[in-house]
Amino acid sequence: RKLTDAVRAHLQGVEIQPYDAVFSNVRAMAEANSKLRLLAGPSTSWALAQALGDSIEFVQCSPVNTLKALKNPVELDGMRNCHVRDGAAMANFFGWLENELYNNNGNLRLSESDVADKLEALRREQPLCVGLSFDTISSVGPNGAIIHYKPTRGSDALMDIDQMFLLDSGGQYRDGTTDVTRTVHFGSPTEWQRECFTRVLKGHIALDRAVFPSGISGYVLDPLARLPLWELGLDFRHGTGHGVGSFLNVHEGPQGVSMRKSIVDVGFRQGMTITNEPGYYEDGAFGIRIENTCLVVKANTPHDYTNGVGYLTFEPVTMVPIQKKLIQTSLLTQPEHDWLNLYHATVWEKVSPLLEKDSLGYNWLKRETLPL
């Protein structure tokens, strides 16, 4: 019923059946061939398992999903390249937004939906972009504390320079998929907001800098992103990272970084993708999340205790500055300080050539990537 005429025309030659017909169809397949074995994951519904009968073969993880998660060199280069272009769109967006808020009476005039639509338009200007990878989470103040908030035009909040602004967005490019979250404040953040932001950043950096044996699961790595918050008795109620498809689903398994036991048996392997997105959310006040998309790459260590298995680390491919105004530098260690400066230098080097010199986006990027 949900298929449009255009979709049906595209699927000409494909037999379309009602959703519930899957049960009778797989039962008929199983009865027709006693040697048939159909693989099913642990989350398979009981109704489907009953329909399969003795033909079902439970596996912890589908081999198809695992193979899809391992990106080939073309896909990996595509992920790197599309995130640079996405970074250019984000720079143009934040340059535009600051100018609107400060100089064009945009404060308390522009809505969450208005700025989300502007970002989509700027993304679509980038080569190979075909649209969004998910609905933009554009959230001001208390709405930022709603983790999966989506603005609705007419009832959404107005942009307010006195409030935190959390923006979680992404684009679909023919050479890759992007997913990035940045939290900014256009006015004067409180010291509590800055401390919370800095602790989220410390967790983000800790996970990004991690070096670990190949095959380690994200269940083991997850506490790295939470420890700076746990020190104050704070936490966040969502996973720290998920896989990202290559011009496919923005959420792709089986790998992840989370406290969920379902990923305990899924180890990281070179060529996977993962997001790094710790956060903190204060109900009725504000939300903070810092998210980069990363590649799982080989780490060069002076020793190899794994007898050839090797060590891995993360390579961030998201190219968007992290707002320095929100950082309490006294809380950063020297390695964390150095990480941020190196990251910003990389962002400037890769993204600035794609921007028109002295444009709003160019000047914003130049300022935001200056050393801390």
Side-chain angles (χ1 to χ4, degrees):
R1 291 195 301 269
K2 296 182 179 180
L3 297 181
T4 64
D5 291 339
V7 172
R8 290 181 182 275
H10 182 76
L11 295 176
Q12 188 173 6
V14 177
E15 184 179 353
I16 301 170
Q17 297 195 14
Y19 182 83
D20 290 342
V22 64
F23 302 109
S24 58
N25 284 352
V26 296
R27 186 180 296 110
M29 288 172 59
E31 292 173 351
N33 186 350
S34 61
K35 296 182 179 180
L36 182 69
R37 289 294 179 268
L38 297 174
L39 302 182
S43 60
T44 300
S45 71
W46 180 241
L48 193 56
Q50 283 186 312
L52 289 168
D54 294 336
S55 296
I56 195 168
E57 188 79 32
F58 281 103
V59 293
Q60 185 63 32
C61 180
S62 167
V64 175
N65 288 341
T66 301
L67 290 171
K68 187 171 67 170
L70 298 173
K71 309 307 179 192
N72 63 41
V74 174
E75 291 173 315
L76 294 173
D77 284 343
M79 291 294 281
R80 293 183 178 100
N81 294 334
C82 75
H83 277 85
V84 175
R85 298 194 302 277
D86 202 64
M90 292 288 287
N92 285 329
F93 168 77
F94 278 116
W96 166 84
L97 182 56
E98 274 196 353
N99 186 61
E100 290 296 309
L101 294 177
Y102 296 152
N103 302 319
N104 290 335
N105 299 315
N107 187 49
L108 300 179
R109 173 177 64 83
L110 291 171
S111 71
E112 294 168 327
S113 296
D114 290 333
V115 299
D117 290 346
K118 178 66 175 182
L119 177 55
E120 179 179 358
L122 290 171
R123 269 202 171 95
R124 288 182 179 274
E125 292 178 1
Q126 294 299 318
L128 303 182
C129 181
V130 298
L132 302 181
S133 54
F134 59 96
D135 292 332
T136 299
I137 299 174
S138 171
S139 49
V140 174
N143 290 339
I146 304 171
I147 295 172
H148 293 113
Y149 174 79
K150 177 186 175 183
T152 300
R153 188 171 293 280
S155 61
D156 52 343
L158 298 177
M159 297 298 298
D160 186 346
I161 61 172
D162 294 322
Q163 300 264 24
M164 299 275 272
F165 177 55
L166 187 156
L167 181 70
D168 187 347
S169 65
Q172 286 286 16
Y173 298 82
R174 295 198 179 275
D175 53 350
T177 301
T178 70
D179 186 1
V180 51
T181 307
R182 288 296 181 263
T183 306
V184 297
H185 199 299
F186 296 104
S188 300
T190 67
E191 288 305 303
W192 174 241
Q193 289 172 332
R194 295 181 69 220
E195 178 170 2
C196 292
F197 182 90
T198 307
R199 290 184 176 274
V200 171
L201 175 61
K202 287 171 70 70
H204 178 96
I205 295 173
L207 183 58
D208 185 272
R209 296 180 66 235
V211 176
F212 49 92
S214 180
I216 288 292
S217 79
Y219 184 82
V220 176
L221 299 176
D222 186 78
L224 294 175
R226 299 178 188 268
L227 281 171
L229 290 167
W230 285 352
E231 290 172 353
L232 288 188
L234 305 178
D235 205 347
F236 55 95
R237 293 187 178 92
H238 60 72
T240 303
H242 58 82
V244 179
S246 177
F247 192 32
L248 284 171
N249 294 340
V250 73
H251 281 225
E252 180 181 272
Q255 74 276 20
V257 179
S258 172
M259 298 179 72
R260 296 173 184 167
K261 293 183 180 179
S262 59
I263 66 166
V264 168
D265 296 324
V266 181
F268 278 115
R269 294 166 62 183
Q270 185 177 353
M272 287 181 167
T273 60
I274 194 71
T275 61
N276 176 358
E277 48 180 309
Y280 173 67
Y281 310 90
E282 199 157 288
D283 290 344
F286 61 87
I288 297 167
R289 188 160 62 251
I290 303 171
E291 177 187 18
N292 280 355
T293 298
C294 304
L295 308 182
V296 182
V297 297
K298 182 179 179 181
N300 295 316
T301 57
H303 307 284
D304 186 3
Y305 193 75
T306 66
N307 293 321
V309 173
Y311 287 78
L312 302 173
T313 189
F314 299 121
E315 174 195 334
V317 291
T318 297
M319 292 290 130
V320 182
I322 296 167
Q323 191 179 51
K324 299 189 295 290
K325 179 198 294 188
L326 280 167
I327 300 172
Q328 285 186 340
T329 55
S330 61
L331 292 179
L332 295 183
T333 64
Q334 190 60 48
E336 292 167 342
H337 186 282
D338 295 342
W339 180 94
L340 187 68
N341 283 341
L342 178 60
Y343 175 71
H344 280 162
T346 303
V347 171
W348 171 254
E349 177 185 359
K350 293 187 175 184
V351 176
S352 61
L354 301 186
L355 301 173
E356 181 182 348
K357 194 170 184 179
D358 292 328
S359 65
L360 293 174
Y362 182 93
N363 291 334
W364 176 86
L365 186 75
K366 185 176 183 178
R367 185 193 73 220
E368 291 299 314
T369 55
L370 289 173
L372 190 64

